[in-house]
């Protein structure tokens, strides 16, 4: 108790001497402001390591087929369904947003396309530099659940416009550019492109490799976002 009392008295003496000498008034527990106070500088040093990052989303575009997703970034899985298609343009796709157009390219048949949207996000890359990210893609396919490397019946197509779609590469060895020199997009507006199928006519030397009526076709498109 004596030590505590001595400390309190000593503190009070300091206040008294300071006030007597004309020093600034002390801030007490009942005061919110200090008068004639001196400036107090306090520094906080924050250390962090900034990493480069890439992210890619695939979304439904206005006027396009619905795209659903499952899983979480960066391993989301996306899917869409066209429904019935054929090489003569007679079928009615279950997705009303699919456009069927007679193909003028080799093999004839019909093009079934729909718009889709990709959103590329990145940090730590300069879009004007040689390291600017690029988007590439390829696809794999199955007929009736069996993997196939044949393009004599159908092939995936993709492009910046419905009329400008072209065959995609089949297999990872045939990966090709979708877009280069990307600019980071954090506004979720995305870029709209078109994707679909070219279903060939089966006549002459173009024999149908899938003799079963109503063959189930599934294609998996793999998009790869990477620095150039």
């Amino acid at each position: 108790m004596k030590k505590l009392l001595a400390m309190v008295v000593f503190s009070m003496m300091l206040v008294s001497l300071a006030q007597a000498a004309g020093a600034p008034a002390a801030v007490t527990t009942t005061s919110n402001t200090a008068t004639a106070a001196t400036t107090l500088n306090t520094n906080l040093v924050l250390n962090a390591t900034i990493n480069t990052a890439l992210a890619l989303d695939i979304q439904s575009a206005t006027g396009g087929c619905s795209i659903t997703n499952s899983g979480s970034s960066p391993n989301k899985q996306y899917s869409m369904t066209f429904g019935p298609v054929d090489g003569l343009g007679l079928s009615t796709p279950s997705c009303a947003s699919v456009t069927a157009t007679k193909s003028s390219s080799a093999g004839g048949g019909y093009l079934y396309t729909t718009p889709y949207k990709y959103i590329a996000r990145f940090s730590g890359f300069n879009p004007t530099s040689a390291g600017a990210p690029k988007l590439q893609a390829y696809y794999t396919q199955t007929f009736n659940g069996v993997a196939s490397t044949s393009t004599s019946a159908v092939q995936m197509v993709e492009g910046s416009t419905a009329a400008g779609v072209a065959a995609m590469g089949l297999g990872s060895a045939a990966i090709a550019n979708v877009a280069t020199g990307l600019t980071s997009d954090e506004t979720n507006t995305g870029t709209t492109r078109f994707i679909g199928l070219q279903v060939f006519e089966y006549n002459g030397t173009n024999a149908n490799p899938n003799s079963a009526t109503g063959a189930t076709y599934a294609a998996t498109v793999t998009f790869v976002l990477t620095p150039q």
Side-chain angles (χ1 to χ4, degrees):
M1 178 63 70
K2 290 184 178 180
K3 287 187 178 181
L4 177 59
L5 180 60
M7 290 174 65
V8 172
V9 172
F10 179 63
S11 175
M12 292 177 62
M13 289 178 61
L14 285 177
V15 171
S16 177
L17 289 174
Q19 290 177 338
V27 179
T28 68
T29 56
T30 60
S31 174
N32 290 325
T33 60
T35 59
T38 57
T39 300
L40 176 65
N41 294 321
T42 301
N43 298 321
L44 168 66
V45 178
L46 190 153
N47 297 297
T49 300
I50 307 300
N51 293 324
T52 55
L54 293 165
L56 179 70
D57 284 333
I58 305 297
Q59 295 182 356
S60 306
T62 301
C65 292
S66 176
I67 296 177
T68 60
N69 68 78
S70 60
S72 57
S73 185
N75 297 312
K76 283 185 177 180
Q77 300 293 317
Y78 304 90
S79 64
M80 70 165 67
T81 300
F82 275 20
V85 296
D86 65 68
L88 298 177
L90 301 176
S91 300
T92 301
S94 57
C95 173
S97 298
V98 171
T99 300
T101 308
K102 185 72 173 72
S103 175
S104 59
S105 63
Y110 264 74
L111 292 169
Y112 295 86
T113 61
T114 188
Y116 76 98
K117 182 168 60 177
Y118 75 81
I119 302 175
R121 300 181 179 89
F122 53 88
S123 174
F125 300 95
N126 183 352
T128 61
S129 72
K134 63 181 176 181
L135 182 62
Q136 298 178 298
Y138 66 92
Y139 76 100
T140 55
Q141 63 184 3
T142 63
F143 284 98
N144 295 326
V146 179
S148 172
T149 58
S150 171
T151 57
S152 62
V154 61
Q155 66 182 6
M156 288 289 299
V157 293
E158 199 275 345
S160 58
T161 64
V165 293
M168 296 183 68
L170 178 59
S172 58
I175 190 170
N177 291 337
V178 172
T180 58
L182 296 180
T183 300
S184 183
D185 185 351
E186 293 290 351
T187 64
N188 286 333
T189 56
T191 299
T192 298
R193 292 179 65 87
F194 291 78
I195 196 166
L197 303 171
Q198 179 178 4
V199 183
F200 297 109
E201 294 178 6
Y202 304 131
N203 51 45
T205 57
N206 268 338
N208 186 350
N210 304 286
S211 58
T213 301
T216 301
Y217 177 79
T220 299
V221 179
T222 299
F223 291 94
V224 180
L225 181 64
T226 183
Q228 294 186 65

